[in-house]
Amino acid sequence: MQELLAKHFSNETVESKWADVLLSWINNCVNPCLDAKELNLQCLLDVIKQHDRRMCTKANINAFSVDDVEAILRRRYPTLTIRNLTRVYDSKYQFKKLYIAITVFLFEACMNETSKEAAIEICKRLQKHELQMILKVCQCLKAVDMTELNIEASIKAAFMDTYGPAITKKLEGKTEPKKEPDEEIAGVDPSCTKCGTAKDAAKTSSHELKTLLPPREAKDSELRIRSRIQTDSCPSSGLLEMDVNEDAPCMSYSFSSQTSIGPRFLPKKKRRNLSPSSSGDAAKGSANSVSNSEGVRWNLYLALGSMVLLAVIIVILCSLTLLDRGEKTKDDVELLDENSTNTVKLKRLVREGLPVVDIQWQCKNNFCLKSTLSINSTMYKSLSRCILLCMGPQLWPHPIGYTQYSKEIMALSTMNLEYKFQSVPSDIVHNYLAGAFKLFLKNVFKLEKRKKSNITEIDLPIRKISIEIDVENDPDPNLRLDTDESYTIKIDTIGNRVVFKISGYSFCGVRHGLETTSQLILLDQVTGYLITLSNLTIKDRPCYKYRGLMLDTGRNYIAVSDIMRTIDGMASCKLNTFHWRISSETSFPLYLTKLPYLSDYGAYDRSMIYTKIDVKSIVRKAALRGIRVLLEVAAPGPVGRAWSWFPQSTCPLKTNNYTCQNILCTRLLMDKSVFDTLQILYAEILDMTGVNDVFHLSDGMFSITNCYELISDRDGFLNNALDRLKLANKGVLPQLPIVWYTSHLMKDSEARNWERMGVQLTDWEPNPGEHYLGKFRVIHSTNWDLSCKIVKQRCVKYRSWQEMYSWKIWRNVESFSTEGGEAILWTDLVNEGNIDALLWPRATAVAERLWSDTIANSTANKYVYMRLDRQRWRMLLRGIRAQPIWPAWCSFNPSICLAKIRK
C-alpha cells in the first residue's frame, strides 16, 4: 500500500498535475487567446503583464528572461531562491524556474482581493478540483515564508488533500459509483470568480482564505531562513528546510517568447484490454488462454531457476568477502568522514585497546600550536576556538577604528536565523541590501556543512542568530567619491540569542560590515556548529577612498567567469574600484553597436569579444559588492589594428609600399572626426558602467619598437578629450578624470588643462625636482605592479606580497592630494590558468595597505602572516584559487615557521 501511495504522490505526479492546473489557469483566466500546450516563457510574460504596475514597475518585460523574473520575485520575497538542478539539463532547470515563478504570481492573484484593477482572476471556466487545489496552495503559502521548498510542499499538500481520499479508497479496493472529475470534489461553489473570495469558493475549508499580503520590505518583518510548515490546513507538508547552499548560479539565458521550456508531461499510457471482445469469440479466447497458460508456466520455471542461481552466486561472493576481511592485518586504518564534514578522523578498527589520539590546540605566545599531549597550559578542543580565544579575530583588512571583544565564545546554528532591515532610506537601497545579504548568507552557510545528528561532543548551548541591519541615510547604493564607507558592528549575547547589529551611513559601508561579520563567524571542528565571540564592537572606515585593481584584457582575453571571480576576490578584502583596461594596442575585444568595426578589426577572434550584456552583468555583480567599474579604452595611441579602418588613423613609419611598418604603432590624429568618434565611445562607456564621477581617459605612453613621434601626434588631446567627455556626460565633467602619468603632462599647455586632475603613477623616481606632482591628484601603482617585467618574452622580475605590503615610500609623494592606490596586472603571460595565483594574495596585501595604512603594520610581521593565511583560506572557500603564502604545515604549526620572522 505504501509503495502504491508513494507512486501516486511522487514528485513527478504532483508536478504534472500542478503544471496542468497552471496551464488551465493561464489559458482560461489570464489569456484565453494563448491556448498554450505547455509552460513556456510566453505564459510567464502574460502573467507578468497583469502585475506590471505592482510588481515590475512598468519595466520592459518583453526583454525579460526567466532569471530576470527570479530577481524581481526576490525583491519581494528575499528568502525565495530557486535551487540549481543538474546543469546538463538546462531545459529542466529553466522549467523549474517557470514552474515556481508562475506559482508565486498565482499566489499574488489569490491575495489581491482588495485590488479592483487586478485583471487576473479565478474564473468560472476552471474545473472545481482545479479551483480547490489553487485555493489550498494559496492557503498554505500565506502561513509560511516564500521559499522553493515551501512552495513545493504547499503544492504537494494541496494535491494530497484534493486527490488523496479518492486514491486511498481506490487502493483499498472500495468501490464507488463512477463520477465526473467535477463531481468527485464537493464543497466548491461554482459562482466564485476570485480566489481572494475564499468563503464563496471553498465553503468546506476549515480556514477561511484571508487577504494576507507578505510585506513589501523585509525591514518591516522578521523572516526566518529555515522555516517549518506544519499547519492544520497543510497536514502533509511536513518539516522542511531551505538549503541556501544549493543556490542557483548566475546565468544568462535568452528565449523566444514562444519557445517551450522544460519537459512536457505526457498522459499515461492506456491499459490494453485483455478480455475477449465478444461472446462469439469465447471458444477462440479459451484456446488462446490454454496456449498462453503453458507459455506462462515455462517462463515461471525459467525465472525461478535464474533466481536460485543468482542467490547461490551472491552467497559465494559474500563468503569470499568475509574471508578477505578476516585476513586483513591489525594495522589497517580507515578514513572516516563522519556526518559529511570536512573533519577527517583516523580510527583504528581491528587492534583492540589502541587509544584514539585526542588532538587539541595549545595557546602559546598568542599562537595556536597543535598538540597531542596534556600540557599544563590553556588547551582548546578545536582550531577555531583557539583562534578566537588565543589569537583574537583574524580580520583582513585590519580595522582602523575602535575594536573591543570578549574572551568567550558562543555556538550558533543557522537553523534559527532571523534578520531585520531596521532602516533603509530608499527602495533601491533595499534591493541592493537584499542581494548583498543573500551573498553573506551564502558564505556563512558554506561553513556549516555538517549534519547535527549523532553529535555527542556538544559542550556549548546552541543559540539563535539575530541580525539587525541599519543603513542610516544615503539613498544611493552606488559607490561615489563622496560615499561614506564606514561601518559599525556590535555583537551582544541576550538570553538564547546572539544579536549582530550592523550599521553604516551608506549601503557600501553596511556591505563592508557584512564582509567583516562573515570573518567573525567560524566553524567549530568539534561540534560542527558555528561559533563567534559573545560580545564585540568594531568601528571601522577606510584610509583612502580609491582602492583599486586594474586588469588588462587587451593583451590577453580574460573570460567573463574569471572576471566575475576576480570581483568576488576584491569584495573579500574591500577593494572598491575595478579598473578594466579593456583594450590596448594589441586588441579591442569590446563590441559597440555604434562602432562595430572596432571589435571587427581589433578582436583576436569572434569568440573573444565582450558584449554589452557581458559588461552590464559584471557591473551589476560589482555594484552588489560595493565596487565601481572603470572602463578604459586606449586612446589616442598607439591603438593598433583596431583603428586601421578609420581614415584619421596614421602610422609614423611606413614601408616603400606606403603601408604601416608596424601595425601596432597605429595612432589617431588630432582631428575633429576623431573626437566625434571618441565622444560616442565615452557615451557608450558611461551608459554601460553607470559611473559618471570618475573616468579613465587612458592617454598612455608605452614604448613599442619602431613607434616614433608619438608625443607630437598627441598634442591637444587632453583639452579636446575633456570637452568631449563633458558632452558625453550630459554637460557635467566628472569630478575625477584620470590619465596615466608621463612627463608630457609637465608641458605648460597640458599642465594648465590637467591641474588638480587625476594621474595614475606607475614609474616614480624619488626627488625628481620641484613641481613634480604638486598639481595633481595621485593614484599610486608603482610598486604594486603584479605583472612580471617582460624582457625577451620572459619574466625577469616578480614582486612578492611582502614587498608590496611593506612599500611605504608612496606616503612621501608631494601631490595636491593622494586619492589612493591600485594594484595592476598586465596580461602578457596571463590567462585563466594562472590569473588567480598572480592576483591573490598579493592584491590582498595591497588592499590592507589602502584600507588601514596608518594603523596596519608597516612590515609583514608574524601577525600579518597569520591574518593573511586565514584570509587565503576564506578565499579558497569562495572558489578563488589564491596562491599559498607558505606550506600547509605552517598553517597548523605557525609558531615554528614564524620563529625567524621579525616581530
Side-chain angles (χ1 to χ4, degrees), residues 146-163:
M146 189 66 71
T147 68
E148 181 193 354
L149 292 181
N150 288 355
I151 292 172
E152 291 178 346
S154 299
I155 294 171
K156 190 166 186 177
F159 175 80
M160 295 179 70
D161 186 72
T162 304
Y163 298 100

Side-chain angles (χ1 to χ4, degrees), residues 493-766:
T493 301
I494 304 173
N496 67 338
R497 294 189 308 155
V498 178
V499 181
F500 295 80
K501 295 182 179 179
I502 306 168
S503 61
Y505 185 84
S506 67
F507 160 75
C508 294
V510 170
R511 194 226 69 88
H512 296 328
L514 288 170
E515 188 66 44
T516 301
T517 303
S518 69
Q519 298 180 11
L520 293 168
I521 302 174
L522 282 68
L523 175 68
D524 185 14
Q525 293 85 1
V526 174
T527 64
Y529 284 93
L530 303 176
I531 57 173
T532 191
L533 295 168
S534 61
N535 296 92
L536 175 140
T537 300
I538 294 177
K539 295 182 179 180
D540 195 13
R541 61 177 177 81
C543 285
Y544 298 99
K545 55 189 176 184
Y546 187 105
R547 307 179 305 279
L549 172 65
M550 189 217 78
L551 181 64
D552 154 51
T553 59
R555 302 186 182 187
N556 257 344
Y557 178 84
I558 304 298
V560 172
S561 59
D562 296 318
I563 297 176
M564 294 283 198
R565 194 171 61 256
T566 300
I567 297 291
D568 286 331
M570 294 177 62
S572 70
C573 52
K574 301 185 179 72
L575 291 171
N576 69 353
T577 303
F578 177 56
H579 175 189
W580 188 359
R581 183 175 163 90
I582 202 166
S583 74
S584 67
E585 66 276 5
T586 54
S587 78
F588 194 106
L590 176 62
Y591 175 78
L592 300 172
T593 53
K594 295 182 179 180
L595 298 170
Y597 286 156
L598 290 175
S599 56
D600 289 345
Y601 279 75
Y604 289 133
D605 187 77
R606 296 287 183 184
S607 62
M608 298 182 178
I609 291 177
Y610 303 105
T611 66
K612 279 191 175 182
I613 294 177
D614 294 332
V615 175
K616 289 188 175 182
S617 297
I618 292 171
V619 169
R620 183 165 55 250
K621 182 183 181 75
L624 285 179
R625 291 154 178 79
I627 298 172
R628 69 164 70 92
V629 176
L630 292 186
L631 210 61
E632 177 197 351
V633 172
V639 292
R641 187 187 303 276
W643 291 83
S644 59
W645 59 273
F646 196 60
Q648 281 71 33
S649 62
T650 185
C651 190
L653 190 62
K654 298 182 179 179
T655 64
N656 294 333
N657 296 326
Y658 299 99
T659 57
C660 186
Q661 190 177 53
N662 187 346
I663 193 65
L664 296 180
C665 294
T666 303
R667 80 287 308 271
L668 302 176
L669 298 174
M670 298 301 100
D671 185 83
K672 180 180 180 300
S673 60
V674 170
F675 291 104
D676 290 340
T677 304
L678 288 178
Q679 181 179 333
I680 295 173
L681 193 149
Y682 294 160
E684 294 252 18
I685 291 175
L686 290 167
D687 175 67
M688 285 187 289
T689 62
V691 178
N692 57 12
D693 59 338
V694 185
F695 195 91
H696 207 296
L697 284 162
S698 188
D699 190 36
M701 286 290 298
F702 302 96
S703 59
I704 297 180
T705 306
N706 297 328
C707 292
Y708 302 105
E709 300 176 4
L710 287 171
I711 297 294
S712 59
D713 284 354
R714 202 177 59 173
D715 284 343
F717 171 76
L718 288 179
N719 189 29
N720 286 284
L722 286 175
D723 292 339
R724 294 311 180 103
L725 177 58
K726 183 177 180 180
L727 292 174
N729 196 32
K730 300 179 181 179
V732 179
L733 187 67
Q735 298 177 43
L736 182 61
I738 305 170
V739 295
W740 296 97
Y741 178 82
T742 63
S743 58
H744 180 65
L745 283 175
M746 302 312 297
K747 290 180 59 177
D748 290 341
S749 59
E750 299 289 9
R752 284 197 302 271
N753 294 331
W754 207 252
E755 185 175 352
R756 298 188 178 182
M757 302 294 183
V759 294
Q760 187 165 356
L761 199 61
T762 57
D763 188 13
W764 180 67
E765 298 177 2

Side-chain angles (χ1 to χ4, degrees), residues 435-502:
F437 186 73
K438 177 185 175 184
L439 296 173
F440 164 78
L441 291 179
K442 182 178 178 181
N443 292 330
V444 172
F445 291 152
K446 280 183 178 179
L447 290 174
E448 196 180 31
K449 296 180 180 178
R450 187 173 191 167
K451 297 180 182 179
K452 304 302 181 296
S453 59
N454 301 325
I455 294 180
T456 60
E457 300 183 36
I458 300 175
D459 56 349
L460 296 171
I462 310 302
R463 288 174 164 81
K464 298 179 180 179
I465 303 175
S466 180
I467 303 175
E468 300 175 1
I469 301 177
D470 183 9
V471 181
E472 294 176 2
N473 199 22
D474 194 343
D476 186 1
N478 296 301
L479 180 70
R480 307 178 309 277
L481 284 173
D482 60 349
T483 297
D484 186 340
E485 297 180 78
S486 63
Y487 67 89
T488 299
I489 300 174
K490 290 185 178 180
I491 300 178
D492 294 305
T493 301
I494 304 173
N496 67 338
R497 294 189 308 155
V498 178
V499 181
F500 295 80
K501 295 182 179 179
I502 306 168

